[in-house]
Amino acid sequence: MDEEEKERWNRKKQTLIDEISDKLINGDVATKIQAAREIRSMIRNRNSSGKIRVKFAAAGVIQPLVLMLCSQQLEAREVSLLALLNLASRNERNKEQIVTCGAIPPLVKLLKFQNTSNLRELATAAILTLSAAPNNRPTISSSGAVPLLIQILSCGSVQGRVDAVTALHNLTTSQEEPIIALDATAALPLINLLKECKKYSKFAEKTTSLLEIISKSPQGMLAITKAQDGILTLVETIEDGSQVSTNHAVSVLLALCMSSRNKYRELILNEGAIPGLLRLTVDGTHEAQNKARLLLDLLRDTTPEKRLSSSVLEKMVHEIAARVDGSEKPAETAKILLQDMVQRSMNKGSSRTP
């Protein structure tokens, strides 16, 4: 295509954008619905969709689409939501303009819908998309969306739950006010979601991040331990997770044990946490290694005065392993020796328990 043809094509495309925008702004409800469909279709079907998003926003379509979210017709709400989602995708400025135009209150109302699950799922996706822009997070956080997203963790569709986790993760990792404190009721559905996903996935990283936030309150700790297989799921994450999810999981177990060693020590030991923690002292990030060592110290059945710190114990065992294996496999041998030593210590403690 030469420059003249390209220019002609661009003029034709701009004319079409202007016509669709005019129908949306000035048409009746049926015309607006059709225009919203055409906006979505045009963005989805063009290679230059990024430029088309910018052109539609410049033509003034965002405000009327936001107003359609309050329509009495469910069809109008749905098509406007889909159009806004397409306009917001991969465009920070459009995301911010959608929120500035007042989209959050009607989206929060849609999150409450029980009988129209498709609209609720679309609203969840919209909250997720808009929360990706840091400037939008304070508005969303103070809108009442967070408790509704927590409800969706339990009763939403699979996609709705995934989107709710990611939206909550976006909101809780924000440095802006207000800082979100998650309700303890989120613990059970988050544990259930963590059970079902691959522990090294990005989704597991977000889920464990939310669980770590919940574990900072006494109610949250209790909810995590009362969830079926709650501690076991965290132990499995330490064993099979990525560095990020492993770090969050060990942080939760450490928070439990530090809050009440007598209450949580046996619960953690009974789920077989020792092997994963030992591996973490060698293979984890610097932060995870320190947390794993501290947790291992708390899990030992000795008084603080007699307790040999994990770091000193590891050093001694590594030196022994180096003498046995030379420089070939001391880390692997040390791990086996450490596991055996700690397990023997745990078995001794169990045999003394009445």
Side-chain angles (χ1 to χ4, degrees):
M1 184 183 294
D2 60 29
E3 288 301 318
E4 188 176 336
E5 287 178 338
K6 191 183 293 185
E7 181 63 28
R8 196 159 49 243
W9 169 246
N10 285 336
R11 282 200 303 270
K12 184 179 179 182
K13 188 165 56 177
Q14 184 63 55
T15 300
L16 182 58
I17 288 171
D18 291 339
E19 288 174 356
I20 294 171
S21 301
D22 183 65
K23 286 196 293 183
L24 182 77
I25 294 166
N26 299 313
D28 57 20
V29 174
T31 305
K32 288 177 185 290
I33 288 173
Q34 182 58 34
R37 286 202 181 98
E38 290 173 2
I39 289 171
R40 181 193 180 210
S41 176
M42 195 168 174
I43 292 172
R44 292 181 70 190
N45 296 333
R46 301 280 179 179
N47 293 329
S48 56
S49 58
K51 291 180 181 178
I52 292 175
R53 289 186 183 95
V54 173
K55 289 179 182 296
F56 268 122
V61 302
I62 289 178
Q63 184 68 70
L65 284 171
V66 168
L67 291 173
M68 286 175 71
L69 294 175
C70 302
S71 171
Q72 296 300 310
Q73 292 192 27
L74 294 182
E75 185 184 11
R77 295 188 190 188
E78 183 174 342
V79 296
S80 62
L81 247 178
L82 289 167
L84 286 168
L85 276 167
N86 279 271
L87 286 165
S89 177
R90 298 191 294 278
N91 189 302
E92 199 86 349
R93 182 175 292 181
N94 283 0
K95 287 182 178 75
E96 292 179 5
Q97 190 178 344
I98 289 167
V99 171
T100 301
C101 287
I104 299 303
L107 287 175
V108 169
K109 286 184 180 178
L110 291 177
L111 289 178
K112 298 176 183 177
F113 276 35
Q114 299 294 326
N115 299 325
T116 51
S117 58
N118 185 50
L119 270 177
R120 186 170 63 172
E121 186 172 309
L122 286 174
T124 306
I127 293 288
L128 160 60
T129 301
L130 297 173
S131 69
N135 288 341
N136 287 342
R137 291 171 189 169
T139 302
I140 298 171
S141 297
S142 58
S143 69
V146 171
L148 297 168
L149 291 171
I150 290 174
Q151 285 180 20
I152 289 166
L153 295 177
S154 299
C155 60
S157 65
V158 173
Q159 187 59 54
R161 295 179 195 194
V162 170
D163 288 349
V165 166
T166 307
L168 287 168
H169 181 261
N170 286 346
L171 296 173
T172 54
T173 53
S174 173
Q175 300 303 310
E176 304 292 332
E177 297 288 345
I179 302 299
I180 296 299
L182 289 178
D183 192 271
T185 55
L188 177 58
L190 286 171
I191 288 288
N192 288 335
L193 289 168
L194 185 59
K195 281 182 198 175
E196 297 166 6
C197 73
K198 291 181 173 65
K199 304 298 185 289
Y200 54 81
S201 64
K202 291 290 184 185
F203 183 73
E205 292 177 1
K206 293 167 186 170
T207 305
T208 50
S209 170
L210 297 175
L211 285 167
E212 183 179 356
I213 292 169
I214 291 170
S215 72
K216 292 176 181 177
S217 73
Q219 298 88 346
M221 291 181 195
L222 188 61
I224 289 169
T225 54
K226 280 193 169 183
Q228 186 176 3
D229 296 331
I231 291 178
L232 175 60
T233 303
L234 292 166
V235 169
E236 290 173 347
T237 304
I238 290 172
E239 293 173 346
D240 302 326
S242 68
Q243 286 191 336
V244 174
S245 57
T246 296
N247 190 33
H248 289 311
V250 75
S251 297
V252 176
L253 294 183
L254 180 58
L256 292 173
C257 218
M258 288 184 74
S259 71
S260 177
R261 179 175 178 271
N262 292 335
K263 184 175 182 180
Y264 295 116
R265 175 181 172 274
E266 288 298 327
L267 291 174
I268 296 171
L269 287 175
N270 289 341
E271 300 299 357
I274 299 303
L277 291 172
L278 287 170
R279 193 192 72 183
L280 203 54
T281 62
V282 178
D283 297 337
T285 63
H286 180 69
E287 183 183 0
Q289 287 180 10
N290 289 337
K291 289 175 179 177
R293 290 184 186 114
L294 183 52
L295 183 53
L296 283 167
D297 286 342
L298 290 168
L299 293 175
R300 284 205 193 97
D301 190 24
T302 54
T303 60
E305 295 77 16
K306 294 181 180 179
R307 192 179 299 155
L308 189 63
S309 74
S310 289
S311 55
V312 174
L313 179 61
E314 283 172 47
K315 187 177 178 183
M316 290 169 59
V317 174
H318 273 273
E319 287 174 359
I320 295 168
R323 289 174 195 167
V324 173
D325 280 346
S327 59
E328 291 182 7
K329 298 190 294 182
E332 188 177 331
T333 304
K335 247 190 279 191
I336 295 168
L337 287 171
L338 272 168
Q339 183 174 337
D340 183 63
M341 288 170 64
V342 178
Q343 195 60 54
R344 285 171 184 271
S345 172
M346 300 308 166
N347 291 340
K348 264 191 195 175
S350 298
S351 65
R352 289 197 297 270
T353 305

